[in-house]
Amino acid sequence: MNFIEKLNHAWRASDSLLCVGLDPDVTRFPQPLHNLDRKQAILEFNKAIIDATHDLVCAYKPQIAYFAAESAEAQLAQTIAYINAHYPHIPVILDSKRGDIGSTAAMYAAEAFERYGADALTVNPYLGTDSVTPFTAHAERGVVLLCRTSNPGAADFQDLDVGGMPLYQKVAQTVARHWNTHGNCMLVVGATWPEQMAAIRKIAGDIPFLVPGVGAQGGDVEALVKAGQRPDGLGLVINSSRAVLYASQRDDFAAAARQVALETRALINRYRARP
Amino acid sequence: MNFIEKLNHAWRASDSLLCVGLDPDVTRFPQPLHNLDRKQAILEFNKAIIDATHDLVCAYKPQIAYFAAESAEAQLAQTIAYINAHYPHIPVILDSKRGDIGSTAAMYAAEAFERYGADALTVNPYLGTDSVTPFTAHAERGVVLLCRTSNPGAADFQDLDVGGMPLYQKVAQTVARHWNTHGNCMLVVGATWPEQMAAIRKIAGDIPFLVPGVGAQGGDVEALVKAGQRPDGLGLVINSSRAVLYASQRDDFAAAARQVALETRALINRYRARP
C-alpha cells in the first residue's frame, strides 16, 4: 500500500482529518515526566500521546527539530517505530522541510525513508525540480511540498506576483502539473489562510493538503474545512501540535490530550461534506 | 569575535577564499578506510581532510545530510569539535538549509549553534522574516540565506519575475535591507551563475557570498571571482567538496586532497583583486 492509499484508508478508519504533531518540547512536559532523563521523557511522552489519540487521527507528524535540539535522534526513530509496530495503519509524516541539490537530497531521502521509516516528509520547493525528484522517485512514499505556510512571514515571498498569480499558486501549479507524476505529492497550506487555501484547491485538484496552524496558531476550523476539503469531504490533514500535547501539566496529560483531540476531530467533522 | 570578524581574519590568514565542503559519502571513501566501521571511517576521513587542508581554507562546510543518512550525528559533532579545538580560527558553516516557523526555527538554532557549535548555518528564505529572526538574533553567529542556488532547477522559482526583478534578487534585497541588521548574514550564490552573481553583488553591497558549485558541479572560477568579489578581493567563500574529498582512492588521499585545495586556491587567487 503506498502513502496516499494509506492516508485514504486512515481518513476513513478514524473518521478524522486530524493529525497530531509530535513536537516534544521538554520544557513544557507535564509534571509526571520531570524526574526522567530528558531523552527518555521524550519517548515516554510521545508514546503516551500516541496511545491516547491513535483512534482519533489520520496521521502523526513528528517535527524533527525538537528531536535534533535534544540530540534525540534515537527517540525519533523509536517513536516512529512505535507507531509502525502498534498502529501500522497510521501514516507518519516527518516534518523536516528539507531542500537541497540532487546528490544531497538523496541523502535526506535516505534519512527520512530508510533510517526513520517515515511514510512521507515535508520538502521546501525553493531549489526547484531536481531538488525534489530524489524524494518523489520513491513512488510509494509521500512528498509534502511547502506551498502557503501558516506563519506571519509567509507573505514575504510566497505572495509575490509572478506573472498573474502569487508564487505559492505557481508552486501549487508546478506540483500538480509536473511533480505529482507518481501521485505521491501533498501541499502544505496553513490553516491561517482560508482564502488562499480555496485558490490552491482549485489549482491542485485532488492533491491532499497538510494544514498546520490549528490550535495554538489560531486557524479558523470552519473556514479552512470549507475552503480546503474535496467534494468527498476528505483531502485535508489538519495538524494540531501544542494544543493537544500540552493540554494538561498534570497526571491526566494523556487523557487531556485525548479530550482535545476528540473535540478537534468533532469540530472539524461538523463542517465536512458527507456525500 | 563574531562570525564575520572570524571570516575576515580567516580570509587574510589563509590568503584563501576556498572553503572545503565536508560531504562524507562512505561509498566513495578511499581504500585505507574500507576496513573501519562506517561511522568511525567518517570521523577519520574528515580529520585527515581537515589536517591536510587547514592552512589553505577560509572555512569548512559540513553538509548535515551526509551525516544524518548514516546516523552519524555524533561524528558531525566530533568533526566540528575537532576543528574548534585544533584550528579555532577557521569558521564552520553548517550546511543544513533549515527553514521553519519561529518556534521550530528556535530549535534548529539550538541544534546548529549549541549542540554542534557551528559558527554559521545555511537557511532557506521561503518562509519569510519570522522564520529567519530566530537565527539572526544570535548576533555573533552567521546566517547564510539561499539566494541563487547552484543546481539546474534553481531557475524554476528563483528566476521568476516579481515586479521588475527575479525572486532571487528580491531575496538578496530583503536580506540587505531588513535581515542583516546585526551584520551577520551571507548569501548562497551558485558558482554556476556568474551573471546572476554580478547582479546580486550590486544589490548586496559587502555581504559575503557562499559559493557552491566549483569542482564537480563545473563552475567557472575566473568568471565567478570576477563577478562576485568585492573591491577588496574578499567577500567570497568558494566551496569545493567532491573534487577535494575524493581526489584519490588510495593511501595518498589526504595528500591528493591537499594538492587539489592548493591548486584551487591558486586558481581563485589568480583572479582576485589585490588592492
Side-chain angles (χ1 to χ4, degrees), chain B residues 120-183:
Chain B
L121 89 167
T122 55
V123 171
N124 188 311
Y126 188 72
L127 277 87
T129 300
D130 62 298
S131 75
V132 173
T133 45
F135 299 109
T136 52
H138 295 257
E140 80 290 2
R141 308 296 178 112
V143 183
V144 189
L145 280 308
L146 302 188
C147 179
R148 186 62 161 75
T149 57
S150 59
N151 60 314
D156 292 351
F157 300 119
Q158 297 165 28
D159 279 9
L160 293 176
D161 184 274
V162 293
M165 63 172 71
L167 176 61
Y168 73 85
Q169 291 185 17
K170 182 76 179 174
V171 170
Q173 192 184 74
T174 301
V175 173
R177 289 188 183 172
H178 304 297
W179 293 355
N180 195 33
T181 49
H182 295 296

Side-chain angles (χ1 to χ4, degrees), chain A residues 96-223:
Chain A
S96 55
K97 299 187 176 66
R98 301 312 193 210
D100 215 305
I101 65 169
S103 51
T104 304
M107 293 289 161
Y108 281 130
E111 178 194 31
F113 299 147
E114 293 170 33
R115 176 182 185 187
Y116 290 122
D119 296 289
L121 90 166
T122 54
V123 172
N124 188 311
Y126 188 72
L127 278 85
T129 299
D130 63 299
S131 74
V132 172
T133 44
F135 299 109
T136 52
H138 294 257
E140 80 292 1
R141 307 295 178 115
V143 183
V144 189
L145 281 307
L146 302 188
C147 179
R148 186 61 163 75
T149 56
S150 59
N151 60 314
D156 292 352
F157 300 119
Q158 297 165 27
D159 278 9
L160 293 175
D161 185 273
V162 293
M165 65 173 68
L167 176 60
Y168 73 85
Q169 292 185 16
K170 182 76 179 175
V171 170
Q173 192 184 75
T174 301
V175 173
R177 291 188 182 170
H178 305 296
W179 293 355
N180 195 34
T181 49
H182 295 297
N184 60 343
C185 289
M186 288 181 63
L187 294 168
V188 171
V189 185
T192 38
W193 318 108
E195 198 176 310
Q196 289 87 338
M197 189 181 293
I200 299 167
R201 177 52 72 205
K202 283 189 189 149
I203 293 168
D206 282 350
I207 292 177
F209 298 167
L210 174 62
V211 184
V214 160
Q217 291 184 65
D220 174 342
V221 170
E222 178 176 1

